[in-house]
Amino acid sequence: MAHTKIGVLVMSYGTPESMDRIEDYYTHIRHGNKPSPEQLQELTDRYEAIVGGVFPLRENTDKQVAALEETLNRGRGEGDVQFVCYQGLKHASPFIEDGVERMVKDGIREAVGVVLAPHYSVMSVGAYNQRAQTKADELGLKISFVKSYHDHPKLIEALTRRVEHSLQQFERQGEARDQVRVLFSAHSLPEKIVEMGDPYPEQLLETSRLIADRVGLPQWQFTWQSAGRTATPWLGPDVLDTMSALAKEGTKNILVAPIGFVSDHLEVLYDLDIEAQAMAKELGIKFARTESLNTDPLYMETLADVVRQQWEGNE
Ligand code: FEC
């Protein structure tokens, strides 16, 4: 018989709790290796630059987790299961393992895991799920995972509306929409994922195509962003290189839609709003980016749908 309370482990990247925790956070991202003082300063400067050193990802993730729980239980009738959401972060507290432990302490016996990132890579979503599975096995929790939801119609609708809204803003500023080059972007990963047959690049292209078709975009392309600062080659072209190349070809307007991210955080607020915006200024290009999903009800319904489907598939 099904248990009445089903745990939902909502996993997200995580962000430092305060400025003095940046080093711990960075060390965790670097698999236990401390960053050099220069690397630490450089990351601290980036956090300082986004509205004076706040960590918007923390509040946004809190809000997304609360909104998902509300969406999952909306209209719940007597006898229906109740979904209880727990947060599990990849690189900060509460860690993925903490989330699993809390569920078990609360008496949860069965759970579904979902990552606040729509596209599957063995290096991103795969790594979150692996850690959660290991902890769940240790504690005897039955858990299964949503792998990806990059083509969910409600997600596509939410992203389409954002592209459409931004194009209308260009039009209000006197630019014809067919003169705006739309760049879909996502976090780069090491090139080796391609040889591994990882679905990440193809899923990102699929999301891009679905949005482009719905908006009726004559010209668009996909580009990578936020590549790590390591010696290994990362997937390219990078958004800054793409912008330079387009400027050379005479492009005057660029709209970036960071479809690989679902929240306002460093990679959007710094890498696009500050770094790419500054590059656009230098290149004499008008630049905008689409708004982040954050707690958009369509995104919350996307997550609720895939969690329910995963749960029903297990019953
Ligand atoms: O706002 C914040 O505080 C956090 C913003 C943030 C998000 C994010 C998402 C993704 N990352 C992905 C892959 C990698 C790989 C490395 C890596 C490194 C960093 C560093 C910072 C950072 N990431 Fe991130 N990422 C965010 C922040 N990321 C800071 C370290 C300094 C730097 O390189 O800039 C390389 C380290 C490694 O080998 O592990 C790889 C992927 C995503 C999108 C999916 C997801 O959200 O999980 C993929 C948000």
Side-chain angles (χ1 to χ4, degrees):
M1 199 188 100
H3 294 278
T4 48
K5 281 193 181 174
I6 302 304
V8 181
L9 183 66
V10 189
M11 293 175 279
S12 173
Y13 202 80
T15 190
E17 287 139 305
S18 55
M19 292 305 269
D20 59 358
R21 301 304 301 275
I22 295 178
E23 186 169 10
D24 291 348
Y25 172 73
Y26 205 172
T27 304
H28 195 274
I29 291 179
R30 292 165 49 87
H31 315 280
N33 299 310
K34 274 191 178 204
S36 67
E38 295 74 28
Q39 287 170 318
L40 180 60
Q41 189 57 51
E42 197 259 347
L43 182 57
T44 304
D45 289 347
R46 283 196 275 149
Y47 280 114
E48 292 275 6
I50 59 166
V51 251
V54 298
F55 301 92
L57 184 56
R58 189 157 286 273
E59 197 187 336
N60 288 332
T61 304
D62 289 348
K63 285 184 180 162
Q64 285 172 325
V65 175
L68 173 58
E69 185 171 286
E70 193 277 316
T71 310
L72 275 165
N73 293 312
R74 197 179 295 150
R76 186 170 77 96
E78 216 178 301
D80 291 347
V81 295
Q82 180 189 357
F83 290 97
V84 188
C85 290
Y86 293 80
Q87 203 175 125
L89 306 178
K90 197 175 190 186
H91 296 300
S93 179
F95 287 98
I96 292 170
E97 292 76 8
D98 300 331
V100 174
E101 215 170 310
R102 279 180 197 171
M103 282 189 190
V104 174
K105 276 201 183 126
D106 288 352
I108 301 278
R109 306 275 298 279
E110 296 177 44
V112 171
V114 66
V115 179
L116 297 176
H119 306 87
Y120 183 89
S121 166
V122 71
M123 285 189 73
S124 61
V125 174
Y128 287 87
N129 294 352
Q130 190 53 54
R131 274 174 54 187
Q133 184 71 66
T134 302
K135 190 69 187 177
D137 288 348
E138 190 190 309
L139 301 179
L141 174 76
K142 188 177 166 208
I143 190 164
S144 71
F145 300 94
V146 172
K147 283 185 82 175
S148 59
Y149 46 89
H150 65 287
D151 55 357
H152 192 289
K154 288 178 187 165
L155 177 81
I156 300 301
E157 176 61 22
L159 294 169
T160 298
R161 285 186 193 174
R162 278 165 173 70
V163 172
E164 184 57 42
H165 176 77
S166 297
L167 288 175
Q168 284 170 11
Q169 282 182 328
F170 271 101
E171 284 176 326
R172 274 196 283 278
Q173 292 164 19
E175 308 293 344
R177 61 166 57 211
D178 61 359
Q179 294 303 306
V180 181
R181 179 63 66 101
V182 177
L183 302 179
F184 296 102
S185 72
H187 202 294
S188 180
L189 280 175
E191 266 178 16
K192 65 176 182 218
I193 64 153
V194 176
E195 289 148 42
M196 292 156 62
D198 197 81
Y200 187 63
E202 187 44 44
Q203 288 191 355
L204 285 159
L205 276 180
E206 181 63 7
T207 305
S208 310
R209 272 189 222 110
L210 289 166
I211 301 166
D213 286 353
R214 294 213 37 190
V215 179
L217 293 178
Q219 302 194 76
W220 61 272
Q221 65 202 76
F222 181 82
T223 191
W224 299 98
Q225 64 165 90
S226 316
R229 291 147 175 83
T230 64
T232 43
W234 288 65
L235 292 169
D238 182 79
V239 63
L240 300 180
D241 297 330
T242 303
M243 287 169 62
S244 298
L246 286 170
K248 279 198 193 113
E249 289 166 18
T251 300
K252 292 277 175 238
N253 301 295
I254 287 179
L255 171 64
V256 174
I259 54 168
F261 299 121
V262 297
S263 179
D264 282 320
H265 50 54
L266 193 70
E267 315 297 76
V268 172
L269 300 173
Y270 186 86
D271 295 359
L272 296 178
D273 291 2
I274 296 180
E275 200 177 33
Q277 184 68 263
M279 155 83 82
K281 213 170 174 190
E282 251 173 57
L283 296 168
I285 286 176
K286 203 178 269 183
F287 174 91
R289 72 148 171 101
T290 54
E291 277 172 26
S292 299
L293 292 171
N294 296 319
T295 53
D296 185 315
L298 283 171
Y299 179 45
M300 294 303 111
E301 285 168 30
T302 301
L303 292 171
D305 280 356
V306 293
V307 165
R308 272 195 218 101
Q309 279 160 17
Q310 185 62 39
W311 158 245
E312 282 157 13
N314 288 339
E315 264 188 312

